Every structure is written in C-alpha cells, then in structure tokens.
Amino acid sequence: MEQVKCECGHVNPHGTVFCESCGKPLEEQGEKSLLDMRYEGSARRSQTYKRTIVDQIWAFFSSVKVGVALIVITLIASVIGTIFPQEMYIPPNVNPADYYEEQYGWAGKLYYELGFNNLYGSWWYILLIALIGVSLVICSLDRVVPLYRALKRQGVKRHPHFLERQRLFGVSRISDMDQAVALLKERLAKQRYRVREEDGHLLAEKGRFSRWGPYVNHVGLIIFLIGAMLRSVPGMYIDEVMWVREGETKEIPGTNGQYFLKSEKFIFDTYKKGEDNEVFNAAIDRVGDGMIAENYQTNVVLYKRVGPTVAGAKPELEKVKEYPIRVNEPLKFDHYALYQVDFRLNEPKTMSFQLTDKQSGKTLGTVAIDLYDPKETYNLGNGYRVELLSYFPDFEFDEDGNPSTKSRVPNNPAFVFKMYAPDRPEGEVSFVAIQQTLEPFGDNKYKMAFAELETRNVSGLTVRRDFTLWILGVGGAIFMFGLVQGMYWNHRRIWVQRVNGELWIAAHTNKNWFGLKKELHRLLDGTGLTMPADRLEERKQAGQGGQAHGTA
C-alpha cells in the first residue's frame, strides 16, 4: 500500500491517523473531536492490511476480544477439571472408566467420556494455551512496534490542529514570552521532565517507559505459558504417584528404570492424651484417642541400576542412600523429589487356610497364599493337595451374578479351591470368601478353614521433577515488573508552542489526569500563563447543562 506524505515532509505508513512527526491529522474527523492518542495515531497492521489469509489471521489474533475469549474458555475448562480428581490422583490398579462412574454416577461417567479426567495434559488444553500465547505475541507486536516508532519520531513542534485537539489545551497572551518559556523550562527540568527545545518551542516528557508496561506483562505471560507448555514435553516435568509396600522394591516412575526404591518400614505415630494441654486433650476427646496423626514416615533405601538393561532379567542394583521420608521432608536425588503424601494401614498380604475334615475336624495341612503372587497348586503331602482355580482380589458379583474383581488390590479377596484327598481323587470344589464358604456342587467332605491373615502397611509417595519451575518464576517476575511499571508510573507530555504571538500549552497523559492537572497548576503558578482547560470535562458539563435546559 502507498505511504502518506505529510506537508511537513515526513512519510507516514498507510493507515496513520495523524503525522508521526508534526501531529497533523491525516484522516477526516470532526474538528472539535479529541485525538485518539492510545497508539499515537500510528498505523496498526491489523487495521491496514486485510488482503491475504496471513493478514486475516493476523487481524483475528490481534483482537483483544479474541484473546479475552480464549482466556475465559481456558479458565472455564480449568475449573471443570477440578470438579472431580484427575486420573493421576485416583487409586492405582483400578479401571478409570469404572471408577468415575461408581464414585460420581452419571456425572463421573460423562466427565470421563469427555476427557476431563486428564484435562491438563490433553492436546486441546495445550492447544488453548498455545493459542493464548499466539494471541499475546500478535497483539503485542501489532501495537508496540508502531507505538515505539511514533514516539521515537515525534517532533518538538507540532501542528496547531494536534495541540487544539488535546484534552488539556490553553492559550496565553503575555508580553514577556521568552521569560515565561525560560521559567517554565526550568520548572519542568526540576520535575524530572526530559525537555527538548526547537525554535523556541518546548516538548517536555517523562515516564515514557510506563507505556511499555502492558507489553512487558505480555512478555512475562508468554514466558510463563512456554513454561506451562514445556511440562507436556517428556522429561521436563514429572508428577507421578507410586504405592510401595513394606519390604517391596519398586521402580520409581519417571526415572526410565534407572532408580528403584525399597520400603523398609512404615511408621505411623499419633498424638496421645496427656495432662499438659487441655485444649489439645479436648481435640483428642472429640475425634478419639489415637486418631490424630503426629507423624507418618517411610524408611526407604534408594537404589540405582548398574550395567545394561536386559529385558526380562532382574536388574542389578547399587545402594545409593537410606532416608526417612516424612511429610514436607522429601527424599531428593538427581533433580527428583519423593514426597510422603498418603498411606494405607494393614493391607492384606498373606492369607492362610487349613484343609480340614468336616466330620472329624482334623487338620490335614496349611496353605499360605500370597495375595499378590498366588501359586496354582499347593502340595500338602500324604496324597493331599489344593488347586487354586480362581482368585478374585477385590471380590464382587457382576451384573449377571457371576463373581468378578473390581481391582487387583486385595481389599476383599475370594478364592475357588479344588481339594484333592486319597479318598476324593476327583476333587471337591469350594468357594471361599471373607466370612463366606459355598459348596456349588453339593456337600463336601473337606473344607478350607481360615487360619491366619498377615498384613503390611503401604506408603503413598509422589515423585516430582520440574525443569520448568525457573521458567515459570522468570515469567512471573517479568509479569509483576510490567504490572508495577504500567500501574505506578504515567507517561506525561507537555507541549509549549509559540503561535502567532500567543503561547499555546497542551498536555497529555496515558492515565491519572487529575495528577497531571495538579502538576500543571504547580508549574504555571506565578508565570502569568493560563491554566489549560480540560476539554472533556467542559463537554460533559455542557451536555449536562443542555439536558437541564431542555427539561426546564
């Protein structure tokens, strides 16, 4: 598009509202209307170029309304993601679809089917964050580049129409104009204005850096969003939950099989009722003695894999350190941190049954079943053996009335045994659950009688590693700096110009007009110059006066 040349000789980009150098309006507007000084009348790309698809995309994302809409949509989605727990926080070894439906009904089922169970790592949520970032970049470039160019090229002497259409404008007629201008220049310098002079005209300016505050905000937000998006990159951010049982050694999730953790012992201490604190004793009485946790910790051993990784082979481990993991006292190693966040007491580990003659009550042997790794056959000797036909760790009946399991965790174990004896070579089938024994094929001579239950404690640990935290911190710090920069300083300009034997004074600020008017009062006091009038206030008063006259 063609450029526009002003009568002062300055060449302006197409779409400029008023000349970047002298300020002469280049577009037809009402002579009494105030100039729009938000972007110094500069030509914004989004308002000028709309021919190609790139121009249209640029214009779309440069709209503040689009940016606000994207932020609102993202906030609503984020709120919805907090209604029910995310999938990473539900109990392990359960089917997520069944869990959400069983715990929260049809709402939970819908929540899962819509994908809100893994919201913050979903592709469309990451896409929303990326679109917000694109909107911030384009919004900023569309405004800050022409604004910077216009402020850098502004001249000291401005066109009379530019001065007349400022909000604060006044005309003074005095005999000693040189002395008044010199005094005003001295006072402006004392108020820390940067004063430029050209042919007896003045341009005083201060606080221009505050105009960049919103764009510094945008830079901080963009860096923050980049940090948030990097959390979806493998290896940059890990937040996993692992459950480890006493005596168990497990691979630490997120370490690519390089680190293992063994739980030596879980310790759970509670506050005991004493005589030294009546308020504390009252709290214990209210909830029950031994119910308020004082400390829970997991004594662990950290191991590191040595040698190559061989599929199916038991890893060779090297001891790294022992450590008691307590609440807010994580185990830290190689940029990882393991936090104590949860526990389960007395989880079933082994159940023992005795093969018993129902008539005589004689015990013929004991079977100890590892609830996490049961055997198929248990040989008791003397011709007696027991086969485990089916095992249901978390027993329930399904919709058709058949036995099934809700999870692999032995919360409610049940078994189907087949018992063999010298006088029962074909075997007898028995279904055994907690406080329940069924004989589906008639009366049996033998039964599996419960003998003993061995339990152990389980620790819930969170594994975290975050390489994006410093990026989020830098982005947040830059955002706060831009917030202070834009809110607590003002960009003020005062033009003093000689026009046909008169002294014209105009002023503009991006905010806090009350403060600028007070400052002008101090600057002009005793100079004999007229205080510039607030054109906007005059128009408001004139409008109110006209309405009152019409009513009368």
Side-chain angles (χ1 to χ4, degrees):
M1 291 186 179
E2 296 182 359
Q3 294 180 319
V4 181
K5 187 174 183 179
C6 179
E7 64 181 25
C8 70
H10 181 75
V11 178
N12 299 276
H14 178 80
T16 304
V17 179
F18 54 85
C19 179
E20 295 173 334
S21 179
C22 72
K24 178 188 176 181
L26 302 177
E27 295 184 354
E28 295 294 333
Q29 295 182 2
E31 294 184 359
K32 295 184 179 180
S33 63
L34 300 179
L35 287 177
D36 184 359
M37 299 287 289
R38 277 191 305 170
Y39 307 112
E40 301 297 310
S42 56
R44 290 167 48 200
R45 189 184 191 282
S46 62
Q47 305 297 321
T48 307
Y49 301 94
K50 297 185 178 179
R51 291 182 175 179
T52 67
I53 185 66
V54 175
D55 297 335
Q56 295 174 4
I57 294 174
W58 183 278
F60 176 78
F61 282 106
S62 68
S63 170
V64 175
K65 292 181 180 180
V66 171
V68 171
L70 289 171
I71 292 174
V72 170
I73 293 171
T74 305
L75 288 176
I76 293 174
S78 301
V79 170
I80 294 175
T82 64
I83 295 177
F84 300 132
Q86 291 291 287
E87 185 173 329
M88 63 183 298
Y89 297 113
I90 68 175
N93 303 320
V94 299
N95 188 316
D98 296 338
Y99 175 84
Y100 282 102
E101 184 175 6
E102 291 172 1
Q103 295 294 322
Y104 309 109
W106 66 267
K109 181 179 180 180
L110 181 64
Y111 190 84
Y112 177 81
E113 291 178 348
L114 293 176
F116 290 114
N117 59 303
N118 191 22
L119 172 69
Y120 306 108
S122 61
W123 66 269
W124 60 269
Y125 188 83
I126 299 299
L127 179 62
L128 280 175
I129 294 178
L131 291 177
I132 292 174
V134 171
S135 177
L136 286 172
V137 171
I138 294 180
C139 274
S140 300
L141 292 178
D142 191 60
R143 291 162 173 80
V144 72
V145 173
L147 177 62
Y148 173 79
R149 183 178 60 240
L151 290 176
K152 185 178 180 180
R153 296 177 179 177
Q154 64 177 337
V156 175
K157 185 179 179 180
R158 308 294 271 181
H159 195 277
H161 289 340
F162 175 85
L163 300 177
E164 289 176 328
R165 291 168 62 179
Q166 295 297 317
R167 177 172 170 176
L168 296 182
F169 173 72
V171 178
S172 300
R173 298 175 179 86
I174 57 176
S175 57
D176 195 351
M177 192 177 297
D178 292 338
Q179 182 179 356
V181 171
L183 179 59
L184 188 56
K185 180 179 178 181
E186 180 182 351
R187 290 185 177 182
L188 286 168
K190 288 182 178 179
Q191 291 296 321
R192 299 182 180 179
Y193 277 87
R194 179 175 175 266
V195 182
R196 295 164 57 194
E197 186 173 4
E198 180 183 313
D199 299 332
H201 310 298
L202 300 181
L203 168 58
E205 182 179 16
K206 71 175 179 180
R208 183 192 292 188
F209 79 102
S210 70
R211 295 291 290 272
W212 317 126
Y215 308 107
V216 174
N217 280 348
H218 290 181
V219 171
L221 281 174
I222 291 168
I223 294 175
F224 191 92
L225 291 175
I226 290 173
M229 292 177 63
L230 284 175
R231 290 192 164 196
S232 62
V233 176
M236 291 295 293
Y237 178 75
I238 296 172
D239 188 0
E240 301 281 354
V241 177
M242 67 176 296
W243 292 87
V244 57
R245 295 163 177 83
E246 289 178 323
E248 183 181 28
T249 301
K250 290 187 69 174
E251 177 187 333
I252 300 176
T255 63
N256 297 319
Q258 294 301 307
Y259 289 96
F260 290 75
L261 192 73
K262 180 180 180 181
S263 173
E264 295 283 357
K265 184 176 179 60
F266 177 77
I267 299 174
F268 179 70
D269 298 322
T270 59
Y271 287 101
K272 304 299 181 183
K273 188 173 180 180
E275 299 179 356
D276 54 342
N277 193 324
E278 294 183 0
V279 176
F280 197 70
N281 291 337
I284 293 178
D285 290 336
R286 185 171 62 255
V287 300
D289 195 10
M291 298 299 293
I292 302 178
E294 179 181 11
N295 171 56
Y296 53 94
Q297 71 180 59
T298 306
N299 295 337
V300 300
V301 180
L302 176 66
Y303 294 97
K304 185 175 183 179
R305 182 195 292 268
V306 294
T309 302
V310 180
K314 186 176 181 180
E316 183 180 351
L317 304 178
E318 178 184 25
K319 182 178 178 180
V320 177
K321 65 188 300 186
E322 297 181 3
Y323 190 82
I325 303 178
R326 301 184 182 91
V327 177
N328 297 326
E329 296 181 17
L331 166 62
K332 295 183 179 181
F333 62 96
D334 194 17
H335 303 292
Y336 294 91
L338 269 66
Y339 293 85
Q340 179 78 59
V341 294
D342 203 353
F343 62 90
R344 289 202 298 263
L345 299 177
N346 302 323
E347 181 185 81
K349 177 181 180 293
T350 303
M351 291 187 72
S352 297
F353 297 89
Q354 293 178 339
L355 179 61
T356 306
D357 188 316
K358 293 169 63 175
Q359 295 181 353
S360 64
K362 181 180 179 181
T363 300
L364 303 171
T366 301
V367 174
I369 301 176
D370 186 338
L371 299 179
Y372 289 90
D373 187 21
K375 299 178 182 179
E376 294 183 0
T377 303
Y378 297 86
N379 195 342
L380 305 180
N382 299 322
Y384 296 95
R385 76 178 191 275
V386 176
E387 290 184 0
L388 183 60
L389 300 182
S390 298
Y391 170 48
F392 308 97
D394 199 357
F395 169 69
E396 68 170 359
F397 285 108
D398 60 18
E399 297 178 354
D400 298 327
N402 299 318
S404 64
T405 182
K406 292 187 288 186
S407 69
R408 291 182 294 176
V409 180
N411 296 319
N412 182 30
F415 313 86
V416 177
F417 294 112
K418 192 167 187 179
M419 304 165 289
Y420 293 90
D423 57 342
R424 292 292 189 272
E426 71 284 358
E428 297 178 338
V429 177
S430 177
F431 176 84
V432 180
I434 296 178
Q435 296 183 346
Q436 187 177 12
T437 300
L438 300 178
E439 298 176 355
F441 302 109
D443 292 338
N444 294 334
K445 179 180 179 182
Y446 300 95
K447 68 176 183 178
M448 298 296 294
F450 174 76
E452 185 181 11
L453 174 64
E454 181 182 348
T455 63
R456 59 182 174 181
N457 300 321
V458 188
S459 298
L461 306 175
T462 293
V463 184
R464 286 182 182 164
R465 186 177 71 173
D466 193 353
F467 287 144
T468 67
L469 193 59
W470 70 272
I471 302 176
L472 300 176
V474 170
I478 293 175
F479 175 84
M480 292 304 299
F481 179 81
L483 189 66
V484 173
Q485 177 183 357
M487 289 186 62
Y488 293 97
W489 280 269
N490 314 312
H491 181 210
R492 295 179 177 179
R493 282 173 291 174
I494 300 174
W495 294 273
V496 181
Q497 197 158 312
R498 305 167 193 254
V499 180
N500 299 326
E502 299 174 334
L503 198 65
W504 287 18
I505 299 177
H508 179 267
T509 181
N510 62 328
K511 58 181 175 294
N512 191 11
W513 290 90
F514 177 76
L516 177 59
K517 287 188 282 187
K518 286 186 63 177
E519 190 169 54
L520 279 173
H521 273 294
R522 293 194 299 268
L523 290 169
L524 301 178
D525 185 32
T527 63
L529 299 175
T530 303
M531 174 67 190
D534 190 333
R535 310 283 294 282
L536 186 61
E537 292 295 332
E538 287 181 349
R539 293 180 183 182
K540 288 182 179 179
Q541 293 175 3
Q544 292 175 357
Q547 292 178 359
H549 179 72
T551 304

